[in-house]
Amino acid sequence: MRHTLAALVENKPGVLAKVAGLFRRRGFNIESLAVGITEKPQISRMTIVVDGDDKTIEQVTKQLNKLIEVLKVSDVTKNSVERELALVKVNATPQTRGEIIEIANIFRGRIVDVARDSFIIEITGDEDKINAFIDLMRQYGIKEVARTGKIAMQRGSKALE
Amino acid sequence: MRAADAIVKALEKEGVKHIFGIPGGAIIEVYDALFDSEIVHILTRHEQAAVHAADGYARATGRVGVAFATSGPGATNTVTGIATAYMDSSPVVVMTGQVPRSLIGNDAFQEADITGITMPITKHNYLVTDEKELLRIIKEAFYIARTGRPGPVLIDLPKDVTIADIEFDYPEKVDLPGYKPKYAGHPRQIKRAAELIMKAERPIILAGGGVILSNASEELVKLAETIPAFVVTSLMGKGAIPETHPLSLGFIGMHGAKYANYAVQESDLIIAVGVRFSDRTTGKVSSFAPNAKIIHIDIDPAEIGKNVRVDVPIVGDAKLVLRELIKHIQYKRRKEWEDKVNEWRRKYPLRYKRDGKLKPQYVIEKLYELAPDAIVTTEVGQNQMWAAQYFKVKYPRQFITSGGLGTMGFGFPAAIGVKTAFPDKTVVDIAGDGSFLMNIQELATCVDYGIDVKVFILNNAFLGMVRQWQQLFYDERYSQTCLLCKEMSFEKIAEGFGAVGMTVERESEVEDAIKEALSIDAPVVVDFRVDRLENVYPMVPAGAALNEIIDEEV
Ligand SMILES: Cc1ncc(C[n+]2csc(CCOP(=O)(O)OP(=O)(O)O)c2C)c(N)n1
């Protein structure tokens, strides 16, 4: 099963390499890894999506916790808000423009760049929504997709740390 | 003050008395500072040996061992040493020189990304990019190396950092929010463990290197006597209980005694302390002790449940946890189990064929007889297994071996580290001819500093352990395992270095040779020309269960 882990780590050079290296070396498969700083500039938050059984996830969590720069690891798979951001560059001809705009609107996407024969559409949402949107765009010809990977936060007032 | 001087002063503050290493341009400032220090520096002849020596020193004393190397090739030469220390949780601090900050990343002369290279084999590592952080980093490095589950820490020092001018304000405390080892065991888990122990009919204690690292041997023996329970160890756990103790069954695993492996397989409860259930210890994991519940005590939470299923996990320091656990246990004799194990002991003793040839086992038996208190280091291969089988360890830190990485070339430099720490002890490296060749240059170090270690080579002129596998599992196709050392004289090589060399060909000469070697006040190499085709038995083949044992007719 896929799990989403949130890790608070010290915002120092090399920490990402350590986390990524740990996954590779121990044979854990990262599906996505998103990093950004938190409200405290010295702390970053990583959201890591891993596929594995309970035993694997337990090992991943324990091994992450062993890294000196890792402050806290939490499994946020359940009961959380999950988001991903994607930029999709899609072909747009005079015939298809209207349709694309309409679909983008339904998905609450935003057109952030318009060229003579293409759009860039920004879309956020959970993974399924983004997959569905990208699927729909295929018929027009996708030129490029950039996705951030998932970030997640548990619902309610409880916070990591 | 010059940062290099501050480094040396910080090391003095950490109580460092000895450093092993080799200088070079990138670390020359630190060596310059060392010139005026009381700290004794031992110039090894290879950086790998410097780290093994620091590691041996750490294993023998329980204190942090320190090694120095220069940048680039000096640093990369430390890698095997660091990985060895990492696998066996040995507290070592390695300081490497690095090219100046302005050249980092430019493929400068003698540049290697040693923090990148050692990331997977250090407990933690640092590249000092700001001289203001230097002293905090040194403080942290020593703290991290020796606390919790110990391990090697590397500090990479750019040359211009070592020249910088800094204030010597050595921190008193460390502040590491992400590093909080847990020492006390959870009281409820300890009670649950005690309940399981009281219920068990066939309990076994499995002790690992963690018992030795936490100095918990006394508590371990007390637990064993209180239950009472037989004790088996991993290779790293040898010495956790005196192997002459009636409850000790020695080590288990691939070359453990039959009775020890049987006892584990038939037990109904395993009390595992500071052991990581390596595949060499458990045999085939899915058939490991099939009817046993498992209590696992370890300071590293990641070890619990990593390799075997665990019924009662207890995270904490072995010494503290055992102290608590003992309080909840009452003596209850399990006569039937006791008789059964003792019967196996009588029926399946460790033994070897006596056919007139010089047997390696005999050499070790004699060494044990003549110097039972000696600290023994080993190389890797058959020599290591025979040493483990026939040298009955009496006290913790007496048997020093590369268990996790299995590093040929470890034992000799490790012995140098041990002898440096304990100049009055007899220190013997039990070696194979192949392994000894891997760090033989350290004879120069021994002679130079008068480090009076003894190397006993069980010379079979083969990479013996590999040859044994080729014999048993590859149709005697001895691919690249014959060393033909018979045409080479270790005696003369030793003499060439200025050490004492001896050659022994017959069983009848063994005793006198050992006596003589131990009495000489100089480094001695004894070349025991043993039966070339002798094998290590009993043997559990890789991937088989602990009770699927190959043995030889004697
Ligand atoms: C550095 C290193 N290289 C290779 C090996 C693989 N290996 C394990 S045992 C062994 C043979 C050891 O031969 P020797 O030192 O002569 O000891 P013996 O087994 O004959 O006692 C080898 C090559 C190893 N453990 N370490």
Side-chain angles (χ1 to χ4, degrees):
Chain A
M1 187 193 142
R2 283 159 102 204
H3 285 251
T4 307
L5 304 178
L8 294 180
V9 306
E10 289 185 56
N11 180 15
K12 282 187 183 155
V15 177
L16 179 59
K18 269 191 194 175
V19 170
L22 182 146
F23 276 77
R24 181 184 48 74
R25 173 166 103 247
R26 299 213 175 250
F28 305 136
N29 192 22
I30 311 183
E31 297 214 340
S32 94
L33 172 57
V35 199
I37 62 168
T38 63
E39 78 284 7
K40 298 186 190 112
Q42 71 277 19
I43 295 177
S44 296
R45 182 180 177 116
M46 293 186 179
T47 309
I48 308 163
V49 182
V50 208
D51 193 23
D53 54 16
D54 289 352
K55 196 171 168 247
T56 310
I57 302 303
E58 187 186 326
Q59 257 304 299
V60 169
T61 308
K62 285 173 167 177
Q63 293 294 345
L64 281 172
N65 266 316
K66 274 176 79 163
L67 298 178
I68 309 278
E69 298 97 335
V70 171
L71 306 173
K72 176 133 198 189
V73 183
S74 194
D75 190 333
V76 297
T77 311
K78 291 204 184 99
N79 195 27
S80 61
V81 182
E82 299 185 345
R83 288 291 179 273
E84 206 179 323
L85 166 70
L87 294 175
V88 182
K89 187 179 286 178
V90 63
N91 291 331
T93 60
Q95 294 78 27
T96 59
R97 272 169 189 264
E99 272 174 51
I100 294 174
I101 293 171
E102 201 173 317
I103 296 172
N105 281 339
I106 294 168
F107 278 81
R108 294 180 200 279
R110 291 205 304 145
I111 293 169
V112 291
D113 182 66
V114 181
R116 203 163 41 77
D117 52 4
S118 71
F119 286 146
I120 297 178
I121 304 163
E122 168 197 314
I123 175 157
T124 64
D126 62 19
E127 199 186 343
D128 285 349
K129 177 178 160 186
I130 291 178
N131 287 344
F133 180 73
I134 290 173
D135 262 353
L136 279 172
M137 287 299 111
R138 280 188 214 286
Q139 54 183 315
Y140 307 107
I142 293 173
K143 292 166 103 67
E144 211 178 338
V145 172
R147 293 172 75 152
T148 56
K150 187 192 283 183
I151 57 169
M153 192 175 274
Q154 282 197 308
R155 294 179 191 278
S157 58
K158 223 178 106 226
L160 198 59
E161 174 58 295
Chain B
M1 157 187 313
R2 176 175 59 159
D5 295 302
I7 291 168
V8 172
K9 212 166 152 190
L11 295 177
E12 287 168 354
K13 280 217 150 208
E14 289 295 336
V16 174
K17 302 269 182 292
H18 297 91
I19 295 171
F20 304 87
I22 299 186
I27 198 169
I28 197 167
E29 294 282 332
V30 184
Y31 272 88
D32 184 64
L34 203 54
F35 199 71
D36 299 320
S37 168
E38 301 274 282
I39 296 175
V40 175
H41 179 276
I42 299 200
L43 176 68
T44 58
R45 268 52 175 179
H46 193 297
E47 289 86 354
Q48 180 191 344
V51 182
H52 289 327
D55 183 349
Y57 185 94
R59 293 186 202 215
T61 60
R63 301 200 305 268
V64 177
V66 182
F68 278 3
T70 194
S71 68
T76 54
N77 268 352
T78 67
V79 168
T80 303
I82 294 171
T84 304
Y86 181 73
M87 291 292 276
D88 290 342
S89 308
S90 187
V92 171
V93 168
V94 177
M95 291 191 171
T96 44
Q98 182 54 278
V99 300
R101 281 170 286 188
S102 57
L103 293 181
I104 289 178
N106 292 357
D107 302 324
F109 176 65
Q110 293 194 329
E111 179 185 1
D113 172 16
I114 197 63
T115 44
I117 291 169
T118 59
M119 209 177 268
I121 52 167
T122 48
K123 186 172 172 190
H124 195 52
N125 67 19
Y126 298 91
L127 168 63
V128 184
T129 50
D130 180 351
E131 62 265 22
K132 290 200 267 318
E133 296 193 344
L134 175 65
L135 295 172
R136 172 183 65 76
I137 285 173
I138 295 175
K139 178 81 191 176
E140 285 178 9
F142 276 82
Y143 179 76
I144 291 171
R146 69 169 182 261
T147 54
R149 177 180 187 171
V153 179
L154 179 134
I155 307 175
D156 200 22
L157 298 161
K159 177 158 179 171
D160 57 324
V161 167
T162 64
I163 299 171
D165 188 29
I166 63 168
E167 195 99 2
F168 189 79
D169 47 354
Y170 198 62
E172 291 288 312
K173 285 211 181 79
V174 295
D175 175 27
L176 290 162
Y179 179 69
K180 296 265 184 297
K182 194 164 168 294
Y183 292 100
H186 196 289
R188 206 179 55 232
Q189 294 297 83
I190 292 176
K191 282 219 186 77
R192 276 184 60 204
E195 282 162 23
L196 277 190
I197 293 172
M198 291 312 297
K199 269 197 241 142
E201 285 308 321
R202 302 184 305 279
I204 280 273
I205 297 173
L206 168 55
V211 175
I212 288 161
L213 288 164
S214 93
N215 299 314
S217 288
E218 210 178 293
E219 288 77 4
L220 186 94
V221 174
K222 185 144 178 238
L223 176 72
E225 289 171 349
T226 310
I227 297 176
F230 289 104
V231 180
V232 295
T233 72
S234 64
L235 189 64
M236 295 306 295
K238 261 179 80 78
I241 181 171
E243 292 185 296
T244 47
H245 192 291
L247 288 174
S248 167
L249 302 179
F251 74 108
I252 59 161
M254 188 171 272
H255 294 293
K258 264 189 189 172
Y259 50 82
N261 284 344
Y262 284 161
V264 168
Q265 287 302 82
E266 295 289 316
S267 66
D268 67 350
L269 176 70
I270 292 177
I271 307 145
V273 194
V275 66
R276 62 192 180 85
F277 294 99
S278 129
D279 51 295
R280 283 292 187 269
T281 298
T282 61
K284 184 179 178 186
V285 137
S286 56
S287 357
F288 176 71
N291 303 313
K293 290 216 157 45
I294 298 180
I295 298 165
H296 191 182
I297 301 165
D298 205 293
I299 195 152
D300 180 354
E303 283 308 333
I304 291 175
K306 188 178 84 179
N307 295 341
V308 298
R309 70 208 143 71
V310 169
D311 299 281
V312 181
I314 305 176
V315 176
D317 174 62
K319 191 180 187 82
L320 298 180
V321 173
L322 291 181
R323 270 192 193 159
E324 286 308 306
L325 182 58
I326 292 163
K327 292 183 190 160
H328 300 281
I329 289 166
Q330 293 86 42
Y331 185 90
K332 173 182 137 189
R333 189 141 182 228
R334 284 109 170 147
K335 180 93 175 50
E336 214 175 299
W337 176 234
E338 205 178 295
D339 290 346
K340 196 165 182 184
V341 174
N342 283 326
E343 173 66 19
W344 283 328
R345 256 208 280 213
R346 265 191 304 277
K347 245 166 100 181
Y348 309 113
L350 284 173
R351 69 219 152 88
Y352 58 94
K353 212 179 258 161
R354 300 291 295 275
D355 54 11
K357 294 191 195 123
L358 175 51
K359 295 289 175 176
Q361 299 94 327
Y362 179 82
V363 174
I364 294 170
E365 277 187 323
K366 277 290 157 202
L367 170 65
Y368 174 62
E369 219 177 282
L370 296 168
D373 289 319
I375 299 182
V376 166
T377 68
T378 82
E379 301 295 344
V380 168
Q382 295 181 313
N383 61 87
Q384 178 184 35
M385 291 301 123
W386 285 319
Q389 289 178 336
Y390 291 93
F391 198 95
K392 304 293 171 207
V393 175
K394 282 167 70 182
Y395 56 92
R397 305 182 185 280
Q398 188 188 3
F399 186 79
I400 291 174
T401 198
S402 168
L405 199 66
T407 309
M408 290 169 71
F410 167 80
F412 180 36
I416 292 176
V418 175
K419 186 71 183 177
T420 304
F422 296 112
D424 298 333
K425 279 259 179 196
T426 300
V427 181
V428 182
D429 172 35
I430 296 176
D433 43 330
S435 296
F436 184 49
L437 285 171
M438 290 213 176
N439 270 314
I440 196 165
Q441 76 287 343
E442 297 309 317
L443 273 172
T445 309
C446 291
V447 170
D448 211 10
Y449 291 90
I451 299 170
D452 162 20
V453 300
K454 315 298 175 199
V455 180
F456 286 8
I457 307 171
L458 305 176
N459 183 359
N460 49 18
F462 271 115
L463 295 168
M465 187 57 96
V466 184
R467 187 210 55 77
Q468 174 169 342
W469 284 46
Q470 288 170 336
Q471 180 191 337
L472 298 177
F473 312 117
Y474 294 86
D475 260 347
E476 303 185 15
R477 287 151 56 85
Y478 295 148
S479 177
Q480 301 300 316
T481 43
C482 186
L483 292 168
L484 288 177
C485 285
K486 296 236 161 169
E487 289 153 36
M488 181 185 96
S489 164
F490 280 110
E491 181 176 339
K492 283 193 186 142
I493 293 172
E495 282 163 5
F497 276 105
V500 177
M502 293 162 60
T503 308
V504 175
E505 315 235 13
R506 271 180 296 277
E507 195 180 286
S508 57
E509 304 161 0
V510 170
E511 188 162 336
D512 285 344
I514 293 177
K515 280 186 186 153
E516 190 186 338
L518 297 182
S519 70
I520 296 172
D521 191 12
V524 182
V525 177
V526 191
D527 182 1
F528 291 98
R529 302 278 173 96
V530 299
D531 181 359
R532 295 190 59 191
L533 295 177
E534 185 64 20
N535 284 341
V536 185
Y537 290 116
M539 175 178 197
V540 177
L546 279 188
N547 49 358
E548 294 168 12
I549 300 170
I550 307 178
D551 205 353
E552 186 192 32
E553 287 301 316
V554 170

